[in-house]
Amino acid sequence: MAKAALKTPESDLYGTDLYLWTEQQSALLRAGRWSEIDELNVAEEIESLGGSQKSEIRSRLAVLILHLLKWEFQPEKRKYGWRTTIVEQRIRIDGLLDTSPSLRSWPDHVLQSAYRLAALGASSETRLPEKTFPETCPYAVKQILDLAFYPGPPEEDLV
């Protein structure tokens, strides 16, 4: 019978307690007990890590763009919290890209999908009509990630 079809205690644990399974698998790897490793599920989990990083970058990019849109289109309502969110998302995205430099081009690939989410969110949060916001993202990824970039009129006193 092929290994993929075998039901092992490791694969049972994978389905019932993922944390305990990861602890067990890492201990087996460190001990070099290769024959006991749940290979298929370990491979699947490693593969999903990359997908998680991509998803996190896209999500953080959408939050960042949403706040840039609010910053630009409602300058009279700017708040310190918006600035904090903008800076935090930039730093976190930068950290993810530092950890996985091969994903440096990922923000460019997902810019439009992140922007669509951001524009919907901005419309909802600002109560401005969706048509207020451009159809495509008005900012380049380089601007979005630039710590000094804030769109719209210069900053007034923040609340």
Side-chain angles (χ1 to χ4, degrees):
M1 185 179 257
K3 183 163 183 150
L6 289 176
K7 195 76 163 161
T8 64
E10 293 82 11
S11 60
D12 285 344
L13 191 55
Y14 178 77
T16 58
D17 189 335
L18 184 61
Y19 177 77
L20 185 57
W21 175 87
T22 61
E23 291 293 302
Q24 179 191 62
Q25 294 304 303
S26 62
L28 290 171
L29 283 166
R30 285 186 187 93
R33 293 168 51 190
W34 309 113
S35 64
E36 299 174 56
I37 293 171
D38 183 4
E39 295 171 3
L40 295 174
N41 288 325
V42 167
E44 186 174 310
E45 286 303 312
I46 290 171
E47 191 173 69
S48 76
L49 286 175
S52 294
Q53 285 190 315
K54 285 177 155 184
S55 180
E56 185 174 354
I57 291 168
R58 180 188 301 121
S59 176
R60 290 188 179 282
L61 188 62
V63 171
L64 174 52
I65 296 168
L66 180 149
H67 281 79
L68 290 173
L69 288 170
K70 291 186 340 183
W71 189 271
E72 179 174 4
F73 288 89
Q74 280 198 323
E76 71 283 358
K77 294 187 178 183
R78 289 178 183 164
K79 300 177 182 176
Y80 283 113
W82 293 2
R83 178 187 292 281
T84 300
T85 299
I86 290 168
V87 170
E88 178 185 353
Q89 297 309 313
R90 286 173 169 160
I91 290 170
R92 290 189 183 266
I93 291 169
D94 189 55
L96 288 163
L97 296 176
D98 280 348
T99 301
S100 297
S102 63
L103 292 178
R104 286 239 175 250
S105 65
W106 184 244
D108 287 307
H109 286 95
V110 295
L111 178 61
Q112 283 313 121
S113 65
Y115 177 72
R116 283 193 298 276
L117 287 172
L120 286 171
S123 175
S124 175
E125 289 188 24
T126 62
R127 298 188 180 170
L128 294 171
E130 284 181 42
K131 65 182 178 188
T132 303
F133 305 100
E135 209 170 293
T136 60
C137 188
Y139 322 119
V141 169
K142 186 174 181 173
Q143 290 175 307
I144 293 168
L145 299 178
D146 181 349
L147 287 170
F149 174 73
Y150 289 87
E155 178 178 326
E156 300 289 327
D157 288 335
L158 297 179
V159 178

